[in-house]
Amino acid sequence: METTTRNATLADLRDMLMEQQARKVDVIAPASQITAVNGSLRVAGSEPVITPDGVTSADGMYRPTEVCDEGVASKLDIPPSYLKRLRQVRPDLYDANVNGWLHGNAEADSDARNFLVRLFRGDDGGEGIARAFLSDRFAIIDHLDALMAAMQGVQQAGVTVTVKGCDLSDRRMYVKVEAPEVKAYAPEILRGYRSPFTGASGSDNPTVFAGFVISNSETGGGALSIAPRITVQVCSNGMTVTKDALRAVHLGGKNEEGVIRWSQDTNDKTLDLITAKARDAVATFVNVDYMRRVLDGMAEAASVKIARPDEVVRSVTKRLAFSQEAQDQVFSMFIEGGQITAGGVMQAVTAAAQTVGSADESAEMESQAFRALELAAAQWPTATRRGSRHE
């Protein structure tokens, strides 16, 4: 089963999520029912639940993802880098550490800790996938439900939109939405810029479009969010304005032991809230006045000229903790973009974000674009403002 995708269509993402939905099992299990065996997690003793699809049980063997291992490390207070190394070189010690911290503190079977384990069933009773190890207070908002509810809210808002691309990782889902009819001109930001992908000139076509990105995690990677996103027409660079995002946190009341089957009433209330948030997000973000305020707030910093590009770009990307590969790609995009300003650094970050293989890294880079602009503009005295006495 495919669990991740990059730059997929909305239809492809929906089909993948529907297949995943059919394989999902979520169980609240006490520590005593979970055991590490040869680097996998065995769930045993969970109570079967009768559903319209048949009898559902979580019992079986599941291979943890990296995200699941991070959850195990967090909940059992094991250093994550240590646990990762054990998985790579000493799976026997992986088992010993996990089992020791799961079962070693129990007194006469009185260990009361419960965990939410999110699973995918394997084929024909074979080993499945353990995709998350979470608190029993984690409130589940599934990708498919979140996506359908959010798109319903967009439809209710009455704005024509286009889904520009969808990404799915083990951590999060990302759906990038653009409103082609809601646009503005940003010549002060795109002056002197050329697309590293097509060579098109930003000065000749300084058009930007309003939009937003829908993001959700099923595995503890943060809240469901709907954040504004501005897209540059000449290169499809996207900048996410995370400070204005609407969020729904995955935190609820304590769940009871056993396989989780949410009531229809609970699901309806959650999805109604997501639909309302999406409708509000469209009304707030897909708006020329909002986009103009964001662009005006960027204009002065974007005009700051960079005197020593190599130093500035390397300094900014290191400060933002980008991977070495991403740092190199940002510098390459900066040179190809030809815009030797702080705005050019921002454009290089968003252009590079389109080329990295990791959906999570791409989203993080887009969310850091405005911070990259601020840092580049602050690189005195290597940066100067147009028209200043330093120029």
Side-chain angles (χ1 to χ4, degrees), residues 69-373:
D69 272 347
E70 290 170 3
V72 170
S74 173
K75 294 295 174 286
L76 302 184
D77 200 22
I78 302 172
S81 58
Y82 173 66
L83 194 65
K84 182 177 181 179
R85 177 161 174 75
L86 292 184
R87 170 169 295 288
Q88 294 170 343
V89 300
R90 289 295 302 272
D92 57 327
L93 290 182
Y94 174 97
D95 294 348
N97 277 264
V98 172
N99 291 332
W101 288 109
L102 272 174
H103 309 138
N105 292 334
E107 297 179 4
D109 297 325
S110 62
D111 191 341
R113 294 173 301 163
N114 285 339
F115 303 99
L116 167 60
V117 190
R118 304 212 70 187
L119 309 165
F120 284 139
R121 294 188 191 89
D123 292 322
D124 301 322
E127 186 174 61
I129 299 172
R131 58 201 195 99
F133 195 87
L134 301 162
S135 163
D136 60 357
R137 293 182 180 272
F138 184 85
I140 293 172
I141 303 176
D142 281 330
H143 292 328
L144 185 61
D145 291 338
L147 177 60
M148 295 298 103
M151 296 310 293
Q152 183 177 351
V154 173
Q155 185 178 33
Q156 290 178 5
V159 176
T160 301
V161 299
T162 301
V163 175
K164 300 298 291 183
C166 304
D167 295 330
L168 183 65
S169 74
D170 288 334
R171 299 179 190 279
R172 296 191 70 84
M173 171 187 73
Y174 309 91
V175 179
K176 300 169 186 174
V177 182
E178 183 180 287
E181 297 177 358
V182 183
K183 56 188 177 181
Y185 296 103
E188 64 282 3
I189 294 172
L190 293 171
R191 186 179 295 115
Y193 178 69
R194 64 176 178 268
S195 168
F197 304 113
T198 66
S201 168
S203 297
D204 293 340
N205 186 8
T207 306
V208 295
F209 298 111
F212 52 93
V213 56
I214 302 165
S215 177
N216 184 54
S217 177
E218 295 184 338
T219 56
L224 178 146
S225 71
I226 303 172
R229 184 175 187 265
I230 295 175
T231 307
V232 178
Q233 185 176 26
V234 296
C235 56
S236 298
N237 291 350
M239 297 158 278
T240 306
V241 191
T242 54
K243 68 181 180 65
D244 293 336
L246 300 179
R247 292 179 171 85
V249 178
H250 292 260
L251 187 64
K254 188 172 182 178
N255 298 308
E256 299 299 323
E257 290 182 22
V259 176
I260 297 176
R261 300 292 298 183
W262 299 112
S263 71
Q264 190 61 48
D265 180 62
T266 298
N267 281 334
D268 289 345
K269 289 179 180 177
T270 300
L271 301 184
D272 286 347
L273 178 62
I274 295 171
T275 299
K277 282 182 175 290
R279 187 175 60 243
D280 292 345
V282 172
T284 303
F285 305 144
V286 184
N287 179 291
V288 172
D289 290 338
Y290 171 81
M291 187 162 51
R292 193 68 260 168
R293 287 195 301 273
V294 173
L295 294 171
D296 288 347
M298 296 164 49
E300 182 179 2
S303 69
V304 174
K305 294 171 64 177
I306 305 299
R308 291 195 286 273
D310 188 15
E311 292 180 20
V312 172
V313 174
R314 297 295 182 188
S315 173
V316 168
T317 53
K318 286 181 180 179
R319 285 279 300 277
L320 297 176
F322 290 171
S323 68
Q324 187 59 57
E325 180 183 358
Q327 291 181 39
D328 294 341
Q329 189 69 351
V330 170
F331 185 71
S332 174
M333 291 294 181
F334 179 80
I335 298 302
E336 291 187 45
Q339 190 181 27
I340 314 302
T341 63
V345 177
M346 177 181 68
Q347 297 285 5
V349 169
T350 54
Q354 297 186 58
T355 67
V356 297
S358 164
D360 299 310
E361 186 175 21
S362 174
E364 175 64 16
M365 292 175 71
E366 285 200 1
S367 74
Q368 295 283 7
F370 288 107
R371 181 60 178 153
L373 172 65

Side-chain angles (χ1 to χ4, degrees), residues 45-63:
S46 66
E47 184 175 346
V49 174
I50 299 176
T51 72
D53 300 321
V55 178
T56 299
S57 172
D59 286 4
M61 296 292 293
Y62 301 89
R63 172 64 56 172

